[in-house]
Amino acid sequence: MIMQTPRYLTKSRFKLAVECPTKLFYTRKPTEYKDSMADDEFMAMLAEGGYQVGELAKKRYPSGVEIHETDHAIAESKTLALLQQENVVLFEPAIRVGKFFIRIDILVKKGNEFELIEVKAKSYNSATPEIEAARGNVSSGMLPYIQDVAFQTWVLRQAIPNADIRSFLMMPDKSINAPVDGVNQMFKITRNQGVVTKVPSVVDIKALGESLLAKVSVDRYVDIVLNEKLEYPGGPSSLADAAIKWAEAYEKDLKIAPVIGAHCGSCQFKNGSDDQLKSGFYECWKAATGISEQELKKGTVLDLWNFRRKAALIDRGSYKISQVLREDLGDFEDEAGLNGLSRPQRQWLQVNGIPSDHPHEGFYLDDALVLHEMSKWNHPYHLIDFETSAVALPFHSDMHPYESVAFQFSQHILEADGSVSHANEFLCVEPGEFPNYAFARALKKALGNDNGTVFMWSHHENSILSAILKQLNEEANRPEDAEELSTFIKSLIKDGDRAMVDLCKFSEKVFFHPDTQGSNSIKKVLPAILKVSKKLQEIYSKQIYGAYEGIPSLNFTNHTWLTVNNGEVSDPYAVLKEYAEDLLPKGVNGEENGRASVIAAGGAAATAYARLQFEDLDAESRERIKSALLRYCELDTLAMVMVLQAWHDEIAI
């Protein structure tokens, strides 16, 4: 006889139900429903250093006992036995009450007094805490965390009715400087996702945990959540009433009737066009609207780019993007002026299509504005892309948790005669080595030979250079070239005499293709522009990249970036799929279908960096990951070159 795993409402399923109760029916059915968030929790824990935060938190309680058992009944039995002690600290104790089952991160028992501690990798600043909003309620950014603790507190109160329970969040404190070097290397993740502690004998690890991790009392905010109505699709109601209803439905595997709205835009149960799994999203929308899945796949109001009133459209019964009226988008001029497309104009292109009298067939391009801006740019063009991380535990003494780390860049150069080369790159992923100043020196060397315009895609590069500038200014032991590096960085960031041009922002103003659905991500813009640019198709369908007398490359040899078959143009990012998968841990889905795909979203590089820092990897695996990082980052800057080449060709300069 096969024993079925009990279907309890856990804290993760409670959180899911707050987002949308119907999701409870779709979750944990990997062979039936698409779930693009299935690996996200693991990925976030790895990329941010969440494992290390959890282990450091335990070091604050040297006598703590961990409940390792994964079987519900065994874990619960062991927990109950240990709680018979007068004083005890438990890690991951299992508490069950009826249909509810929770694993508490840390539970401290002193007689009848209990401390429930939820450990989060979320950054917190004890100097300027932002838990409470202006009206005295819980701030939106902290609400999901407080709701999580409130649910656990509610279950624990039922399990131990007469106990005095106090609730806490424990988080990395950004206001605190690390007192020693190498904190981020003290906890290594093994291949079976265990954690090995490697703490130098001179380090008081308990004191370090108490210093870097803030233990924040949240009793008042937990009471607010428990005593006020809980907001969720189909609500509001009290947390207790909602939890009881959700637990009943989850136990019996019953689908709670969907309540659709703007929140559906972030649904992870939405499959791709070629995905064989079922889509919870389309099941909900079909049931709520009566519209077929085929019609819904043509576009819903949720697909409308950067539109803030989607809920109002849904409330009035406008579900399809084709039902959006021009007046719904607000006031805008009929013609794009020197400032390019306004937000409503761009949205109307998405709804109504490209005007029939537009000079470019199938896509929109503001030739005049492109010409105007290009006249300000200097050759050679420098196209740069950074890969960065922000880990919870600092590299060095005097650093704060979550300081920016710039570990990689790629640079392509586009000359006035149209020639292209992958000219420079930087990669520093050695465990425990803080790369930012070496990164800045390498970037200065790469860009310092001329006064050509420097391009980025989105403001990320500007933010990272500003963060490095701040680190240089605050560094206790400043490098000898600190002033020189600071001057260089200031020249590139906002208001500098060589301030970088944001091509993402520029694309938003001058370019639109229906396939992008309004997005200006380079991973959306590139495939769209390849579809319409015959010049790019001609160039990059040949084996010239990294070829002799072709386009010089630092990582590719005789490479073909795309194929054209019956008018269908392949996506260069798909070509790199096999390399991108090397960036991810085994068993993590790297498919691009789904909103939260780590590869499509660019999160794979940060995860790979975390693996190289914290994971127990052999030399071959390390080299394979480094090679994949170099190839992937190179494509990002080549993609920028391709976009500029296409615009240049289309306006026929």
Side-chain angles (χ1 to χ4, degrees):
M1 181 177 178
I2 299 175
M3 298 294 292
Q4 290 188 338
T5 302
R7 293 177 62 85
Y8 296 124
L9 190 74
T10 62
K11 59 183 182 180
S12 62
R13 287 165 205 155
F14 170 80
K15 177 184 176 183
L16 192 69
V18 174
E19 296 172 2
C20 172
T22 313
K23 289 183 178 182
L24 289 172
F25 182 77
Y26 304 130
T27 191
R28 305 300 172 101
K29 296 177 179 176
T31 62
E32 188 176 358
Y33 286 96
K34 175 71 177 181
D35 183 356
S36 60
M37 297 285 280
D39 299 309
D40 271 23
E41 184 175 352
F42 166 74
M43 297 292 286
M45 286 280 284
L46 182 59
E48 296 176 2
Y51 282 105
Q52 288 80 4
V53 172
E55 289 302 308
L56 183 58
K58 294 173 188 176
K59 297 304 178 185
R60 294 179 58 146
Y61 302 92
S63 64
V65 179
E66 182 145 13
I67 310 297
H68 293 283
E69 289 75 11
T70 57
D71 180 273
H72 288 76
I74 297 174
E76 180 188 1
S77 176
K78 186 173 181 179
T79 298
L80 291 174
L82 288 166
L83 286 176
Q84 297 304 308
Q85 299 178 28
E86 182 70 11
N87 301 308
V88 68
V89 177
L90 301 180
F91 306 142
E92 296 290 332
I95 305 294
R96 183 183 66 84
V97 177
K99 301 178 179 68
F100 306 103
F101 185 90
I102 58 174
R103 300 292 294 258
I104 299 168
D105 288 342
I106 301 175
L107 184 63
V108 180
K109 179 184 184 235
K110 296 178 181 178
N112 196 45
E113 295 180 354
F114 290 78
E115 291 185 357
L116 184 157
I117 303 169
E118 174 71 6
V119 181
K120 294 292 185 184
K122 177 179 174 57
S123 64
Y124 174 79
N125 192 325
S126 60
T128 56
E130 297 179 349
I131 298 179
E132 188 171 313
R135 297 181 180 179
N137 55 343
V138 183
S139 67
S140 59
M142 289 298 298
L143 185 57
Y145 303 97
I146 300 298
Q147 289 173 338
D148 185 346
V149 178
F151 173 69
Q152 294 180 64
T153 302
W154 178 74
V155 173
L156 187 60
R157 285 176 181 174
Q158 294 177 76
I160 316 174
N162 298 317
D164 177 11
I165 299 170
R166 290 175 292 162
S167 305
F168 298 86
L169 279 171
M170 189 174 288
M171 302 166 284
D173 191 343
K174 291 180 68 174
S175 72
I176 302 298
N177 292 348
V180 296
D181 288 333
V183 181
N184 72 329
Q185 292 296 303
M186 294 180 185
F187 306 99
K188 289 287 189 179
I189 300 170
T190 62
R191 293 176 190 175
N192 62 358
Q193 296 180 28
V195 180
V196 175
T197 302
K198 298 180 179 180
V199 180
S201 58
V202 295
V203 174
D204 184 341
I205 193 66
K206 180 177 184 293
L208 185 64
E210 291 172 346
S211 171
L212 286 178
L213 302 181
K215 181 183 175 185
V216 184
S217 174
V218 293
D219 288 330
R220 190 165 81 82
Y221 307 112
V222 164
D223 287 342
I224 290 174
V225 170
L226 291 176
N227 294 325
E228 295 184 356
K229 295 292 185 181
L230 183 70
E231 296 286 348
Y232 60 90
S237 67
S238 69
L239 182 147
D241 288 345
I244 291 168
K245 179 174 68 175
W246 297 339
E248 181 80 14
Y250 186 73
E251 181 193 39
K252 297 178 178 178
D253 197 21
L254 299 175
K255 182 186 289 188
I256 296 173
V259 177
I260 65 171
H263 61 276
C264 297
S266 61
C267 182
Q268 67 266 44
F269 298 102
K270 185 176 182 180
N271 63 5
S273 57
D274 59 349
D275 203 304
Q276 300 303 309
L277 295 175
K278 292 192 289 187
S279 171
F281 170 84
Y282 288 122
E283 284 189 11
C284 285
W285 274 61
K286 280 166 58 182
T289 68
I291 301 173
S292 70
E293 182 170 334
Q294 184 178 9
E295 279 295 304
L296 290 170
K297 284 188 173 181
K298 292 178 181 178
T300 72
V301 294
L302 297 175
D303 298 317
L304 193 54
W305 171 77
N306 199 20
F307 185 67
R308 300 179 179 88
R309 299 191 298 278
K310 295 174 183 177
L313 294 181
I314 294 170
D315 288 344
R316 83 172 187 204
S318 296
Y319 307 117
K320 298 188 292 184
I321 198 168
S322 59
Q323 294 174 302
V324 177
L325 305 176
R326 180 165 170 151
E327 52 263 34
D328 293 329
L329 306 178
D331 296 330
F332 57 94
E333 297 295 331
D334 289 337
E335 300 295 335
L338 286 178
N339 292 324
L341 290 169
S342 66
R343 178 166 50 87
Q345 287 170 338
R346 189 173 182 83
Q347 291 164 345
W348 187 239
L349 286 174
Q350 192 180 353
V351 173
N352 201 46
I354 310 299
S356 58
D357 59 350
H358 189 69
H360 301 286
E361 184 178 354
F363 68 100
Y364 177 93
L365 186 66
D366 188 334
D367 295 28
L369 186 52
V370 172
L371 277 168
H372 177 74
E373 291 300 311
M374 281 186 169
S375 68
K376 303 176 185 178
W377 302 342
N378 300 321
H379 280 98
Y381 295 169
H382 298 270
L383 298 307
I384 62 170
D385 177 70
F386 298 172
E387 298 296 350
T388 63
S389 178
V391 295
L393 301 184
F395 282 80
H396 297 303
S397 61
D398 296 325
M399 285 184 63
H400 307 287
Y402 285 109
E403 286 203 39
S404 296
V405 175
F407 61 87
Q408 182 179 13
F409 73 73
S410 170
Q411 179 207 20
H412 269 84
I413 292 178
L414 177 58
E415 302 283 358
D417 63 2
S419 60
V420 177
S421 64
H422 184 227
N424 292 284
E425 63 185 8
F426 172 88
L427 181 66
C428 179
V429 291
E430 297 309 308
E433 186 171 335
F434 182 57
N436 285 16
Y437 302 152
F439 175 98
R441 292 185 190 104
L443 186 66
K444 180 177 180 294
K445 183 177 180 180
L447 301 177
N449 297 322
D450 54 63
N451 196 38
T453 301
V454 182
F455 298 88
M456 58 184 175
W457 197 280
S458 91
H459 62 277
H460 178 66
E461 280 70 21
N462 195 86
S463 300
I464 293 301
L465 288 179
S466 297
I468 295 175
L469 180 63
K470 185 173 185 288
Q471 290 166 342
L472 281 167
N473 290 336
E474 295 178 353
E475 175 72 62
N477 299 306
R478 302 183 77 202
E480 292 182 1
D481 58 349
E483 286 301 323
E484 189 178 339
L485 291 176
S486 296
T487 300
F488 164 69
I489 291 173
K490 288 177 183 177
S491 73
L492 291 179
I493 60 179
K494 186 178 179 181
D495 298 327
D497 56 18
R498 201 184 177 189
M500 295 177 289
V501 174
D502 184 350
L503 283 178
C504 181
K505 187 175 181 180
F506 186 57
S507 178
E508 179 183 319
K509 296 295 185 182
V510 302
F511 176 74
F512 175 85
H513 189 285
D515 286 3
T516 65
Q517 292 187 316
S519 170
N520 291 288
S521 162
I522 189 67
K523 293 174 177 64
K524 291 287 188 181
V525 171
L526 178 62
I529 210 159
L530 286 172
K531 190 173 183 178
V532 298
S533 174
K534 299 301 181 185
K535 179 175 182 178
L536 292 187
Q537 293 174 21
E538 178 184 354
I539 294 173
Y540 294 101
S541 62
K542 296 177 181 176
Q543 201 176 61
I544 65 166
Y545 195 77
Y548 177 69
E549 295 187 343
I551 298 176
S553 167
L554 297 176
N555 299 292
F556 295 90
T557 303
N558 299 328
H559 190 74
T560 302
W561 276 113
L562 56 90
T563 58
V564 183
N565 291 316
N566 298 321
E568 293 295 320
V569 184
S570 64
D571 181 356
Y573 281 100
V575 175
L576 278 190
K577 178 181 174 182
E578 61 182 282
Y579 302 116
E581 287 177 344
D582 282 335
L583 304 179
L584 305 175
K586 288 184 178 179
V588 173
N589 179 21
E591 294 294 329
E592 290 216 21
N593 291 331
R595 178 186 61 83
S597 165
V598 288
I599 293 176
T607 302
Y609 179 73
R611 295 186 67 199
L612 292 166
Q613 291 297 309
F614 310 133
E615 194 174 335
D616 180 22
L617 295 168
D618 56 47
E620 181 182 351
S621 297
R622 294 186 65 83
E623 288 305 311
R624 190 171 64 249
I625 293 171
K626 288 163 68 174
S627 176
L629 279 168
L630 291 169
R631 290 170 182 250
Y632 211 73
C633 193
E634 179 172 345
L635 176 54
D636 280 335
T637 49
L638 176 62
M640 296 163 67
V641 169
M642 291 180 180
V643 170
L644 286 179
Q645 286 176 318
W647 288 345
H648 188 282
D649 181 60
E650 290 295 336
I651 61 177
I653 294 178

